């Protein structure tokens, strides 16, 4: 079977037509770079989040969960440095009024040969002027100077106009874990090293959002913070890199489409930082980050709050601020990677093409589709659907030819189609069609749950 090229347009179109993801606020002509998840999209993303939680909280020793609020005391963002420094260098095209990130302009113009992330604003401006880098939108060379563009969304709290306090929508979930570090440690009696994970929404006023779910203004993060001693932190950093890579591969992303990318520019406090990149249809892009954050965040919060965040070692009685190693990944960006990897157009032996999503069964939106061969078998089919739905997400479909119904399930990545035919009424057996091989086997209805459970175990 031949494979054809996957493009971002094909993914976006399939997502919309099959109910994975719709453009946000579509009936009002949309709202740039916002996307809403539909029935199968929300299942897929939830399954990915559950798989991540299973791997990094449930199965990892000394690992705990937390869920801090999105709105936090603004001092949190003062201490973390976001209020002062969380911004991107932007340039406006004076001809077409479009706004761009100066570092992106340089990266794209140099085709990645210049490491723009390590350049100062003066160096970026000098490169753009020297190479006469043109506006990607209108083609003119007519730029404003670089200005820093704040990435945090602001809102306000208070009831009286003019007496409202500015509060921020969190740009990362990490700080919610740092401010609760001692709460978690005391209530769990955890000893170093231990980890705290959080999954939740984050918001960034990105200048150049785009490329579907890759860069949006509202997204979900899954972040895992490991608190440890300084002397063990680099070993934990290396292990975290490997665990993050293994997780991506176990979710179905191919090793050849994943690579490490060490950061050229480190924050002044960081000892090491790297991304794992995925080869999306538009090229290599960051999938997740692994950051050695030293004692910076906890020290900052201790200093501004005036509350000790020191850990007391119960054996040695030493008191010190732990070092943090962070692994942060976007649930939406990972969902996009999974969709791109799973997408396939197969030209079959009979010349027909089928679109199929080869998700690993554990994260497929529906595990089983229940399909009566004919409408007059629907009573038995509904009975089987009701039984299976107690165990898995199932789809029930009795409209159209069986071939078309199989194709529909292929397009949403359902690993097993259970077909009810006239023999089912005689001997309580059904056919089970495998999405990837398209082979069918005959099973007793009583065997279905165990069969599917074994295949979806992850
Ligand atoms: N606490 C560290 C942190 O937030 P980050 O590298 O800025 O680090 C972590 O973000 C991950 O969050 C990224 O690797 C990416 O997967 C996701 N992410 C960041 N900004 C995003 C955006 N605008 N849209 C979608 N996902 C985003």
């Amino acid at each position: 079977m031949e494979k054809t090229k996957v493009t971002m347009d094909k993914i976006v179109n399939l997502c919309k037509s099959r109910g994975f993801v719709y453009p946000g606020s579509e009936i009002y002509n949309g709202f740039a770079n916002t996307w809403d998840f539909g029935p199968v999209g929300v299942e897929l993303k939830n399954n990915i989040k559950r798989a991540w939680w299973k791997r990094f909280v449930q199965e990892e020793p000394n690992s705990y969960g937390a869920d801090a609020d999105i709105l936090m005391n603004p001092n949190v963002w003062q201490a973390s440095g976001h209020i002062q420094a969380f911004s991107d260098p932007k340039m406006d095209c004076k001809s077409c009024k479009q706004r761009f990130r100066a570092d992106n302009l340089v990266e794209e113009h140099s085709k990645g040969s210049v490491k723009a992330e390590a350049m100062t604003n003066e160096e970026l401006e000098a490169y753009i002027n020297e190479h006469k880098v043109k506006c990607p939108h209108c083609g003119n060379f007519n730029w404003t100077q670089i200005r820093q563009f704040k990435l945090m969304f602001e809102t306000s709290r208070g009831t009286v106009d003019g007496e409202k306090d500015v509060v921020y929508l969190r740009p990362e979930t990490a700080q919610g874990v740092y401010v609760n570090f001692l709460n978690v440690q005391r209530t769990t009696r955890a000893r170093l090293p231990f980890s705290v994970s959080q999954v939740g929404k984050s918001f960034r006023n990105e200048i150049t959002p785009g490329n579907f779910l890759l860069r949006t203004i509202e997204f979900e993060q899954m972040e895992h913070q490991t608190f440890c001693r300084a002397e063990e932190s680099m070993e934990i950093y290396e292990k975290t890199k490997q665990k993050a890579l293994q997780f991506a591969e176990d979710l179905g992303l191919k090793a050849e489409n994943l690579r490490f990318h060490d950061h050229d520019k480190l924050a002044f406090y960081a000892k090491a930082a790297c991304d794992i990149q995925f080869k999306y249809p538009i090229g290599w892009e960051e999938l997740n980050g692994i950051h050695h954050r030293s004692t910076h965040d906890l020290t900052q919060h201790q200093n501004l709050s005036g509350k000790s965040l020191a850990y007391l070692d119960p054996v040695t009685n030493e008191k010190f601020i732990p070092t943090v190693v962070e692994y942060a990944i976007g649930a939406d960006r990972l969902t996009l990677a999974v969709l791109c990897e799973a997408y396939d157009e197969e030209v079959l032996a009979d010349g027909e093409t089928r679109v199929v999503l080869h998700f690993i069964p554990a994260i497929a939106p529906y595990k089983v589709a229940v399909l009566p061969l004919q409408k007059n078998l629907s009573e038995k089919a509904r009975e089987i659907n009701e039984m299976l739905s107690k165990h898995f997400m199932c789809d029930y479909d009795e409209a159209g030819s069986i071939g078309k119904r199989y194709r529909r399930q292929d397009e949403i990545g359902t690993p097993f189609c259970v077909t009810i035919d006239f023999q089912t009424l005689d001997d309580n057996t059904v056919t089970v069609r495998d999405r990837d091989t398209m082979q069918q086997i005959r099973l007793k209805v009583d065997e279905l749950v165990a069969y599917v459970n074994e295949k979806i175990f992850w």
Side-chain angles (χ1 to χ4, degrees):
M1 283 183 274
E2 291 169 29
K3 283 190 177 181
T4 47
K5 198 172 178 311
V6 50
T7 63
M8 198 66 106
D9 280 349
K10 285 181 183 176
I11 300 288
V12 174
N13 290 338
L14 180 87
C15 280
K16 189 175 170 200
S17 65
R18 287 291 172 249
F20 282 97
V21 182
Y22 312 119
S25 317
E26 195 180 9
I27 60 166
Y28 292 99
N29 300 323
F31 188 51
N33 302 300
T34 64
W35 299 93
D36 297 338
F37 282 78
V40 284
V42 70
E43 294 300 332
L44 177 65
K45 188 157 80 147
N46 281 344
N47 291 340
I48 289 174
K49 288 189 286 183
R50 268 187 224 116
W52 187 89
W53 195 264
K54 180 168 187 274
R55 178 66 56 89
F56 290 97
V57 183
Q58 182 180 327
E59 292 176 1
E60 189 171 297
N62 301 326
S63 188
Y64 307 92
D67 187 14
D69 266 0
I70 288 172
L71 298 177
M72 302 180 79
N73 187 313
N75 282 335
V76 169
W77 308 111
Q78 186 71 39
S80 68
H82 283 87
I83 290 180
Q84 308 85 317
F86 193 50
S87 58
D88 278 339
K90 64 137 184 134
M91 285 181 115
D92 291 342
C93 171
K94 287 193 259 181
S95 302
C96 69
K97 313 288 180 229
Q98 294 285 315
R99 179 165 288 172
F100 297 91
R101 269 176 65 170
D103 50 343
N104 285 353
L105 290 173
V106 171
E107 284 274 348
E108 272 154 37
H109 181 269
S110 70
K111 299 200 167 38
S113 64
V114 173
K115 300 283 179 211
E117 66 179 22
M119 291 165 83
T120 63
N121 284 357
E122 290 70 33
E123 287 166 340
L124 289 170
E125 228 162 52
Y127 180 99
I128 287 165
N129 289 331
E130 189 188 324
H131 294 85
K132 294 267 174 295
V133 178
K134 292 188 179 136
C135 169
H137 187 246
C138 71
N140 286 314
F141 174 74
N142 190 13
W143 298 110
T144 60
Q145 284 192 316
I146 293 180
R147 273 170 293 178
Q148 286 302 122
F149 184 82
K150 285 190 179 164
L151 292 178
M152 274 208 295
F153 279 107
E154 292 181 8
T155 183
S156 58
R157 176 181 189 153
T159 46
V160 184
D161 247 359
E163 289 179 22
K164 288 181 178 166
D165 294 326
V166 172
V167 288
Y168 300 93
L169 298 189
R170 70 177 175 206
E172 61 173 11
T173 63
Q175 301 301 328
V177 167
Y178 300 147
V179 300
N180 281 297
F181 153 69
L182 268 193
N183 281 336
V184 175
Q185 193 270 324
R186 283 183 185 139
T187 47
T188 59
R189 294 178 298 135
R191 293 191 184 182
L192 296 185
F194 70 92
S195 307
V196 184
S197 293
Q198 176 163 217
V199 174
K201 288 264 182 176
S202 293
F203 304 83
R204 295 185 192 176
N205 198 358
E206 300 274 7
I207 306 172
T208 46
N211 284 320
F212 196 30
L213 303 177
L214 191 74
R215 188 164 292 103
T216 51
I217 56 173
E218 174 179 342
F219 51 97
E220 269 182 290
Q221 287 188 308
M222 307 189 285
E223 298 199 285
H224 179 75
Q225 317 291 335
T226 303
F227 300 92
C228 58
R229 291 177 176 77
E231 56 273 24
E232 62 191 351
S233 61
M234 280 313 287
E235 194 188 330
I236 288 176
Y237 172 76
E238 292 301 332
K239 279 194 184 148
T240 307
K241 278 172 71 172
Q242 294 308 327
K243 276 195 286 187
L245 184 68
Q246 190 62 54
F247 171 71
E249 286 182 24
D250 290 349
L251 223 56
L253 305 186
K254 292 199 186 82
E256 70 254 31
N257 291 334
L258 294 163
R259 69 180 186 193
F260 287 116
H261 166 75
D262 287 322
H263 285 200
D264 293 310
K265 190 169 147 186
L266 290 181
F268 70 90
Y269 53 81
K271 244 182 146 176
C274 89
D275 299 335
I276 292 178
Q277 296 181 332
F278 175 72
K279 199 172 181 188
Y280 291 91
I282 50 158
W284 289 98
E285 293 284 346
E286 173 186 332
L287 174 68
N288 67 252
I290 299 117
H291 314 122
H292 183 298
R293 299 182 73 126
S294 71
T295 56
H296 176 74
D297 301 273
L298 293 184
T299 307
Q300 288 290 104
H301 287 304
Q302 171 170 283
N303 290 346
L304 194 65
S305 68
K307 309 274 170 16
S308 170
L309 290 180
Y311 168 80
L312 174 64
D313 189 304
V315 179
T316 63
N317 266 340
E318 271 177 289
K319 241 185 153 184
F320 60 95
I321 301 271
T323 292
V324 173
V325 175
E326 171 186 67
Y327 155 48
I329 182 162
D332 311 82
R333 203 174 278 196
L334 178 57
T335 303
L336 178 60
V338 163
L339 279 161
C340 295
E341 188 74 84
Y343 184 94
D344 204 359
E345 284 171 23
E346 291 175 0
V347 182
L348 305 175
D350 62 4
E352 236 194 89
T353 301
R354 73 161 183 157
V355 171
V356 54
L357 296 179
H358 295 286
F359 299 130
I360 58 161
I363 58 168
Y366 297 123
K367 305 297 184 253
V368 178
V370 178
L371 315 172
L373 197 58
Q374 292 184 9
K375 276 205 175 137
N376 53 6
L377 292 162
S378 65
E379 194 184 330
K380 180 69 181 169
R382 284 188 187 281
E383 187 190 297
I384 292 172
N385 183 52
E386 198 180 317
M387 183 274 288
L388 290 175
S389 297
K390 296 198 189 305
H391 299 268
F392 326 104
M393 279 302 297
C394 298
D395 194 18
Y396 180 85
D397 187 5
E398 58 180 27
S401 76
I402 191 71
K404 287 212 174 103
R405 281 184 275 161
Y406 284 152
R407 292 285 173 274
R408 248 185 105 78
Q409 296 301 329
D410 290 343
E411 289 184 9
I412 57 173
T414 308
F416 306 106
C417 286
V418 168
T419 305
I420 286 81
D421 53 25
F422 289 102
Q423 193 183 327
T424 314
L425 302 181
D426 290 338
D427 62 6
N428 216 27
T429 63
V430 290
T431 63
V432 180
R433 172 190 180 265
D434 182 285
R435 174 199 65 201
D436 298 338
T437 64
M438 294 182 281
Q439 300 293 313
Q440 299 189 15
I441 56 168
R442 198 133 197 126
L443 283 184
K444 290 194 186 123
V445 170
D446 296 348
E447 295 168 338
L448 281 175
V449 170
Y451 178 81
V452 176
N453 260 333
E454 197 212 314
K455 302 275 182 192
I456 66 174
F457 184 76
W458 185 85

